[in-house]
Amino acid sequence: ISVVGARQNGDKQTFDCQTQFIQLIGERINHVHLIDSDNTLHKDAEGNEETSSHPPFGLGVLDFDKLFPALNQYHSIDAWWTVDLCFWDQAWDATEICFDFMKELREKHQS
């Protein structure tokens, strides 16, 4: 939404990077629902775009080394975060990879 303008109607309102969006809404962040992104949208059975694709961490284009410090300004990484792999065909197989990826990021960016 913030960089590509996916699923926005009319003129797209975008930012150069996700951290600009985080800075804009930071005080309003109550819960972090974390996914990686490959800048594509998942399509339903009829081919209609539904929601962002949810690839396992490391397979997308997001730079979590930039995102984590920005998010941590508003929402502690010690707090409970949700990892989402919906629509990923092998989600159970990717869960351990995602857990390890997030654990490493948490250790690296913990205040």
Side-chain angles (χ1 to χ4, degrees):
I1 290 172
S2 65
V3 174
V4 176
R7 299 195 47 119
Q8 290 185 20
N9 295 323
D11 293 335
K12 306 276 187 211
Q13 297 177 349
T14 61
F15 295 89
D16 293 332
C17 63
Q18 292 89 2
T19 55
Q20 289 176 320
F21 184 63
I22 292 169
Q23 290 168 351
L24 177 70
I25 65 164
E27 296 295 328
R28 295 176 183 94
I29 295 173
N30 293 327
H31 176 75
V32 178
H33 184 106
L34 204 58
I35 65 169
D36 207 339
S37 173
D38 59 6
N39 287 339
T40 65
L41 295 174
H42 170 77
K43 297 182 192 266
D44 65 17
E46 287 81 39
N48 300 310
E49 294 178 335
E50 283 189 327
T51 185
S52 56
S53 297
H54 294 59
F57 296 108
L59 296 183
V61 298
L62 298 182
D63 185 347
F64 288 99
D65 284 326
K66 288 183 181 173
L67 292 172
F68 254 63
L71 284 168
N72 197 31
Q73 290 179 351
Y74 304 102
H75 197 280
S76 171
I77 59 175
D78 286 331
W80 188 78
W81 289 24
T82 301
V83 174
D84 188 343
L85 293 168
C86 79
F87 301 118
W88 192 257
D89 288 335
Q90 302 298 319
W92 283 117
D93 296 336
T95 300
E96 186 174 0
I97 293 165
C98 291
F99 177 82
D100 291 343
F101 186 90
M102 295 303 299
K103 182 179 176 185
E104 181 181 319
L105 277 173
R106 182 173 184 243
E107 290 170 358
K108 186 176 185 180
H109 295 286
Q110 198 165 23
S111 316

